[in-house]
Each structure stands twice: as C-alpha cells, then as structure tokens.
Amino acid sequence: MRAAVVVFPGSNRDGDVARALRRSGAEVVSVWHADTELPAGTDLAVVPGGFSYGDYLRCGAIAGRAAAMDAVRAHAARGGLVLGICNGFQILCESGLLPGVLMRNVNRRFICHRQFLRVERADTRFTSAYAEGQVIDVCVAHGEGNYFADSDTVARLEAEGRVAFRYCDADGALTEDANRNGSLNSIAGIYSERRNVLGMMPHPENFVDGLAGGTDGKGLFDSLAA
C-alpha cells in the first residue's frame, strides 16, 4: 500500500495519519496542495484533518478547489482509494467527491471528546478488519460536523449501504446524546457510489496506540494496508 497524504496550508493532522498508516505497514509520501499530480504508484490518497486555508469562506471550500484535488478526483475516477478525515471529509464534499455538506454543530459549539461509532458494514477496503455492527471507540474534534443532505440523497445513501459509520452509545444504540453534532441519521461517515472514497468526521488516527488511550482506530488503517 502506497499512500499520498495531501497537505494544505492549515492542515495539522497529516503527521498523525501518516504515522497511523506506517504503523499498519503502508509506505507514505506527502503531496503539497499546489502539486498537480499524485506520486506514481499511489494506491490511497488521504485528505487529513485541520483547518485548511484557515477555514475561510466555509470549511473545505478553498481546499476543495486546490490543484492537488484535481489529481485526487482523477485518482478516484480511476478507482483509486481516497480517505478524508474531519476537515478532509469537508473537503471531499466541497470537491464533489461525496454528496452533502458538513454544517455547524447543532449546539453551535466546538466539540472534542471520545466518541463511540457503529461500523455499518465490514466488506469494504476501509473496514475489513472490523465486524459489521462493531462499536469502536475513537475521538471527535470539530465545530462543523453536522452532516446534512437533501432527502433524496440521504435515502439513496441508506438504500445503497453507503453509510460507513454512525454515532452511537457504548451499546451501539443511536441516541440523541450520542449524536452531539446533530448529523442526519447519526451519520459519521459515508462512501462514494463505488465505495472507493470514504469521508468521516471522527479521528481514527488518534487511537492506534494504547499509550494514547486506545487502539480502535487501528482497524481502519490495517484494513487499508492489508
């Protein structure tokens, strides 16, 4: 697995996701936002978390139109894997690779806490190390993570099994308290139509080492590197 991590002005989680990928056995290279191509042999393009371009206009709006994102879109069109985390999820929506938008959290506050997620399917390149319905413990840290799309789009995501993760409690139940940013249908992450693009608000890269408080995020990177 050769992964290319795209770095924008304001990215701050590129080092963490690169470390998580390397721990799972991937080769990792960095790509600057002004680059027009991904390195030869790239299997996975990663759009990391942070505050790209200072989150001006709206989160991910400028980054979604960066030169490097043209290369990421071409990579996805060829069937290449793309992963966007937090700000990366916002960028994938702004770039047209995923449907919907990430709005301000319903309580208008930045949230940063541990979060349970329910894995909705385990037959994808991103989740094969998990079990369907497994509850994993990761982290969230965002002010604009409230996933929203029109009713037809949400119905299509649900019917096509394109919801990757949902916010839940420790037992896997979808509760209002567990869905603290107010996302529609407790959606925490979604796939593209071909399931080669995944965007998610939580940070699996936070929990790949027991010394940091947990290892439930490691399964996502192990799945990709397998």
Side-chain angles (χ1 to χ4, degrees):
M1 166 63 68
R2 190 174 202 217
V5 178
V6 182
V7 181
F8 303 91
S11 294
N12 62 14
R13 305 306 303 275
D14 47 299
D16 298 303
V17 76
R19 176 173 174 270
L21 285 161
R22 290 191 178 104
R23 284 179 64 94
S24 292
E27 175 191 354
V28 182
V29 295
S30 294
V31 174
W32 187 231
H33 68 114
D35 291 346
T36 58
E37 295 182 1
L38 298 179
T42 295
D43 301 300
L44 168 70
V46 180
V47 186
F51 302 91
S52 58
Y53 301 96
D55 279 349
Y56 287 109
L57 296 182
R58 59 182 180 274
C59 299
I62 300 175
R65 291 151 181 83
M69 290 307 298
D70 288 334
V72 173
R73 277 187 288 268
H75 175 70
R78 293 191 295 268
L81 298 170
V82 179
L83 170 64
I85 300 172
C86 197
N87 189 220
F89 186 15
Q90 296 161 341
I91 293 169
L92 295 186
C93 290
E94 289 286 347
S95 69
L97 282 166
L98 292 172
V101 296
L102 283 307
M103 305 192 304
R104 290 285 304 275
N105 295 342
V106 67
N107 62 6
R108 304 291 182 186
R109 294 181 178 178
F110 188 94
I111 58 175
C112 181
H113 57 82
R114 297 179 78 132
Q115 174 70 55
F116 292 111
L117 299 180
R118 193 174 73 191
V119 180
E120 294 299 291
R121 57 188 305 163
D123 60 347
T124 77
R125 286 297 309 274
F126 300 88
T127 56
S128 60
Y130 297 121
E132 181 178 336
Q134 182 178 344
V135 175
I136 61 173
D137 174 22
V138 291
C139 295
V140 294
H142 56 254
E144 290 84 13
N146 180 359
Y147 182 78
F148 180 84
D150 63 81
S151 57
D152 288 345
T153 297
V154 173
R156 191 164 58 251
L157 290 173
E158 296 285 359
E160 296 174 355
R162 290 167 54 192
V163 176
F165 303 100
R166 297 185 203 269
Y167 301 109
C168 68
D169 66 15
D171 297 320
L174 307 182
T175 67
E176 183 176 351
D177 185 59
N179 182 23
R180 290 169 61 179
N181 61 25
S183 290
L184 278 177
N185 294 6
S186 300
I187 290 173
I190 59 172
Y191 296 111
S192 62
E193 290 185 15
R194 298 164 67 185
R195 298 191 185 87
N196 61 318
V197 179
L198 167 64
M200 60 188 298
M201 284 310 296
H203 288 275
E205 76 274 24
N206 276 28
F207 278 177
V208 298
D209 186 335
L211 289 174
T215 60
D216 281 4
K218 190 172 183 297
L220 186 140
F221 302 101
D222 287 347
S223 300
L224 286 165

